[in-house]
Amino acid sequence: MVAEIVSPSNHSTDYVEKMHDYPAMGIPLYLLVDPRKGTIAALSDPGPGLGGEGPVTAPAVITPSATR
């Protein structure tokens, strides 16, 4: 599993290119933490024979709620 903080200056690379790179490197689960948006996107690619082929196209986005 990988957790990555989205770069404010290069966010398109984190959301587009790495969405394909991590599964190609054998990483089936990764999180993209975007402080700019205040979200965490959980993406997975179980790989061939494990229930899927290729990365998830619609990541599960978690928006943490602030506690007071």
Side-chain angles (χ1 to χ4, degrees):
M1 183 172 123
V2 169
E4 179 169 351
I5 307 296
V6 176
S7 168
S9 62
N10 205 11
H11 64 274
S12 63
T13 297
D14 295 332
Y15 277 104
V16 178
E17 292 177 29
K18 291 185 181 179
M19 197 169 168
H20 299 286
D21 292 345
Y22 286 135
M25 291 186 278
I27 299 168
L29 177 64
Y30 51 103
L31 303 175
L32 289 178
V33 180
D34 193 333
R36 199 172 42 117
K37 294 180 179 179
T39 60
I40 302 168
L43 299 106
S44 71
D45 176 12
L50 298 174
E53 302 261 348
V56 172
T57 55
V61 176
I62 304 161
T63 304
S65 62
T67 56
R68 296 177 187 221

